[in-house]
Amino acid sequence: MKQVTIYTDGSSLGNPGSGGWAALLIYQNSHKEIFGYQNNATNNQMELLAAIKALEALKTKCIVNLYTDSIYLKNGITKWIHNWLKNNWQSANKKIVKNQDLWQKLYKLTLKQEINWHWVKAHNGHKYNEKVDYLARNAAENKVNH
């Protein structure tokens, strides 16, 4: 199987407000940047969308190392999701899980790949995390998709 490294980030100017998401996919010496804009979005929605769009970009089953600076994304998909599935998408306090549609889409995509989730500290000088942060903010500010 191919081994792919992915960095993702989401941004929201206003939270909710002008949202941007970005991902950097690295395979061997090849780098692919994808990013997009969404109106009236939260930061968490953009973090989820960045991971979704990155995984959708994969054409075959891969071993993926996915890096995010979002604890919400990492813990949601590696820890909380198990109880959400068991409890019919209700949180521990019996409320419908926020961003359920995005979580469901992400969960389905994770079943198609072998993913190792990693957390990276934001704004800490990590080259690729800084790159996707810039791309996500730029998408939100300039309302661009690529």
Side-chain angles (χ1 to χ4, degrees):
M1 268 192 289
K2 291 181 181 177
Q3 292 197 21
V4 178
T5 301
I6 298 174
Y7 290 84
T8 65
D9 201 13
S11 178
S12 176
L13 309 176
N15 207 24
S18 179
W21 60 267
L24 173 64
L25 293 83
I26 304 168
Y27 173 67
Q28 295 177 343
N29 292 326
S30 177
H31 292 196
K32 180 179 182 179
E33 298 172 359
I34 58 174
F35 52 86
Y37 159 80
Q38 196 163 33
N39 191 34
N40 197 33
T42 67
N43 188 59
N44 285 338
Q45 289 167 335
M46 294 298 91
E47 295 283 359
L48 285 161
L49 196 55
I52 289 166
K53 294 293 189 178
L55 294 173
E56 285 177 343
L58 299 175
K59 307 278 189 267
T60 61
K61 184 169 182 156
C62 301
I63 298 170
V64 177
N65 282 295
L66 195 147
Y67 293 83
T68 177
D69 61 15
S70 171
I71 295 278
Y72 173 75
L73 172 60
K74 183 180 181 290
N75 285 348
I77 201 64
T78 62
K79 296 177 182 176
W80 309 331
I81 192 106
H82 307 294
N83 283 332
W84 293 341
L85 290 167
K86 199 167 41 176
N87 297 326
N88 198 27
W89 293 97
Q90 290 186 5
S91 64
N93 60 3
K94 303 292 183 212
K95 294 190 176 171
I96 297 295
V97 172
K98 286 183 182 172
N99 304 313
Q100 178 183 343
D101 57 333
L102 294 171
W103 283 115
Q104 288 173 329
K105 190 178 262 192
L106 180 61
Y107 177 70
K108 286 179 187 170
L109 289 166
T110 66
L111 300 176
K112 298 177 183 179
Q113 305 297 338
E114 190 175 310
I115 305 173
N116 301 302
W117 295 88
H118 305 276
W119 179 77
V120 147
K121 185 173 170 69
H123 313 292
N124 203 33
H126 188 285
K127 179 168 104 173
Y128 295 133
N129 182 255
E130 296 291 340
K131 179 68 174 178
V132 291
D133 176 71
Y134 168 79
L135 292 171
R137 277 188 292 109
N138 187 59
E141 288 169 1
N142 296 305
K143 301 178 180 172
V144 294
N145 294 299
H146 174 72

